[in-house]
mmCIF file of all heavy atoms in Angstrom:
data_model
loop_
_atom_site.group_PDB
_atom_site.id
_atom_site.type_symbol
_atom_site.label_atom_id
_atom_site.label_comp_id
_atom_site.label_asym_id
_atom_site.label_seq_id
_atom_site.Cartn_x
_atom_site.Cartn_y
_atom_site.Cartn_z
ATOM 1 N N VAL A 135 46.895 -35.228 -149.573
ATOM 2 C CA VAL A 135 46.513 -35.578 -150.947
ATOM 3 C C VAL A 135 45.640 -36.834 -150.945
ATOM 4 O O VAL A 135 44.598 -36.887 -151.611
ATOM 5 C CB VAL A 135 47.766 -35.763 -151.835
ATOM 6 C CG1 VAL A 135 47.423 -36.422 -153.157
ATOM 7 C CG2 VAL A 135 48.453 -34.427 -152.064
ATOM 8 N N ASP A 136 46.063 -37.840 -150.200
ATOM 9 C CA ASP A 136 45.293 -39.083 -150.138
ATOM 10 C C ASP A 136 43.901 -38.855 -149.546
ATOM 11 O O ASP A 136 42.903 -39.366 -150.061
ATOM 12 C CB ASP A 136 46.029 -40.144 -149.315
ATOM 13 C CG ASP A 136 47.295 -40.638 -149.992
ATOM 14 O OD1 ASP A 136 47.515 -40.325 -151.184
ATOM 15 O OD2 ASP A 136 48.068 -41.346 -149.317
ATOM 16 N N LEU A 137 43.839 -38.093 -148.473
ATOM 17 C CA LEU A 137 42.550 -37.831 -147.826
ATOM 18 C C LEU A 137 41.644 -36.980 -148.710
ATOM 19 O O LEU A 137 40.428 -37.201 -148.755
ATOM 20 C CB LEU A 137 42.765 -37.171 -146.468
ATOM 21 C CG LEU A 137 43.339 -38.099 -145.401
ATOM 22 C CD1 LEU A 137 43.860 -37.296 -144.210
ATOM 23 C CD2 LEU A 137 42.297 -39.121 -144.953
ATOM 24 N N THR A 138 42.226 -36.040 -149.437
ATOM 25 C CA THR A 138 41.440 -35.234 -150.372
ATOM 26 C C THR A 138 40.837 -36.126 -151.450
ATOM 27 O O THR A 138 39.672 -35.964 -151.826
ATOM 28 C CB THR A 138 42.309 -34.126 -150.996
ATOM 29 O OG1 THR A 138 42.777 -33.273 -149.945
ATOM 30 C CG2 THR A 138 41.538 -33.303 -152.007
ATOM 31 N N GLY A 139 41.611 -37.075 -151.928
ATOM 32 C CA GLY A 139 41.097 -38.020 -152.917
ATOM 33 C C GLY A 139 39.948 -38.858 -152.373
ATOM 34 O O GLY A 139 38.946 -39.078 -153.063
ATOM 35 N N LEU A 140 40.085 -39.308 -151.137
ATOM 36 C CA LEU A 140 39.002 -40.075 -150.504
ATOM 37 C C LEU A 140 37.741 -39.218 -150.351
ATOM 38 O O LEU A 140 36.628 -39.679 -150.611
ATOM 39 C CB LEU A 140 39.436 -40.598 -149.136
ATOM 40 C CG LEU A 140 40.536 -41.654 -149.099
ATOM 41 C CD1 LEU A 140 40.898 -41.992 -147.652
ATOM 42 C CD2 LEU A 140 40.113 -42.905 -149.836
ATOM 43 N N THR A 141 37.935 -37.973 -149.958
ATOM 44 C CA THR A 141 36.809 -37.057 -149.801
ATOM 45 C C THR A 141 36.094 -36.864 -151.128
ATOM 46 O O THR A 141 34.860 -36.923 -151.195
ATOM 47 C CB THR A 141 37.285 -35.698 -149.249
ATOM 48 O OG1 THR A 141 37.858 -35.903 -147.960
ATOM 49 C CG2 THR A 141 36.137 -34.702 -149.140
ATOM 50 N N GLU A 142 36.850 -36.643 -152.183
ATOM 51 C CA GLU A 142 36.241 -36.434 -153.506
ATOM 52 C C GLU A 142 35.465 -37.669 -153.953
ATOM 53 O O GLU A 142 34.359 -37.562 -154.494
ATOM 54 C CB GLU A 142 37.309 -36.050 -154.525
ATOM 55 C CG GLU A 142 37.869 -34.666 -154.284
ATOM 56 C CD GLU A 142 39.115 -34.352 -155.097
ATOM 57 O OE1 GLU A 142 39.584 -35.234 -155.865
ATOM 58 O OE2 GLU A 142 39.611 -33.229 -154.970
ATOM 59 N N THR A 143 36.015 -38.843 -153.717
ATOM 60 C CA THR A 143 35.329 -40.091 -154.063
ATOM 61 C C THR A 143 34.009 -40.195 -153.316
ATOM 62 O O THR A 143 32.967 -40.530 -153.897
ATOM 63 C CB THR A 143 36.227 -41.304 -153.725
ATOM 64 O OG1 THR A 143 37.401 -41.241 -154.524
ATOM 65 C CG2 THR A 143 35.505 -42.617 -153.961
ATOM 66 N N LEU A 144 34.029 -39.884 -152.035
ATOM 67 C CA LEU A 144 32.821 -39.964 -151.222
ATOM 68 C C LEU A 144 31.805 -38.885 -151.606
ATOM 69 O O LEU A 144 30.596 -39.135 -151.592
ATOM 70 C CB LEU A 144 33.175 -39.885 -149.738
ATOM 71 C CG LEU A 144 33.928 -41.107 -149.203
ATOM 72 C CD1 LEU A 144 34.551 -40.798 -147.846
ATOM 73 C CD2 LEU A 144 33.010 -42.317 -149.109
ATOM 74 N N GLN A 145 32.270 -37.703 -151.971
ATOM 75 C CA GLN A 145 31.363 -36.638 -152.394
ATOM 76 C C GLN A 145 30.589 -37.041 -153.649
ATOM 77 O O GLN A 145 29.384 -36.835 -153.732
ATOM 78 C CB GLN A 145 32.133 -35.342 -152.674
ATOM 79 C CG GLN A 145 32.576 -34.613 -151.434
ATOM 80 C CD GLN A 145 33.427 -33.400 -151.783
ATOM 81 O OE1 GLN A 145 34.326 -33.469 -152.611
ATOM 82 N NE2 GLN A 145 33.136 -32.289 -151.147
ATOM 83 N N VAL A 146 31.298 -37.596 -154.619
ATOM 84 C CA VAL A 146 30.657 -38.028 -155.859
ATOM 85 C C VAL A 146 29.615 -39.101 -155.561
ATOM 86 O O VAL A 146 28.482 -39.049 -156.047
ATOM 87 C CB VAL A 146 31.709 -38.531 -156.877
ATOM 88 C CG1 VAL A 146 31.055 -39.245 -158.043
ATOM 89 C CG2 VAL A 146 32.569 -37.379 -157.358
ATOM 90 N N LEU A 147 29.971 -40.055 -154.753
ATOM 91 C CA LEU A 147 29.059 -41.131 -154.404
ATOM 92 C C LEU A 147 27.851 -40.600 -153.630
ATOM 93 O O LEU A 147 26.713 -41.037 -153.848
ATOM 94 C CB LEU A 147 29.801 -42.197 -153.599
ATOM 95 C CG LEU A 147 29.130 -43.543 -153.456
ATOM 96 C CD1 LEU A 147 28.697 -44.123 -154.786
ATOM 97 C CD2 LEU A 147 30.080 -44.504 -152.749
#
Side-chain angles (χ1 to χ4, degrees):
V135 167
D136 292 349
L137 289 165
T138 299
L140 293 176
T141 298
E142 290 169 359
T143 297
L144 291 165
Q145 284 175 314
V146 168
L147 196 52

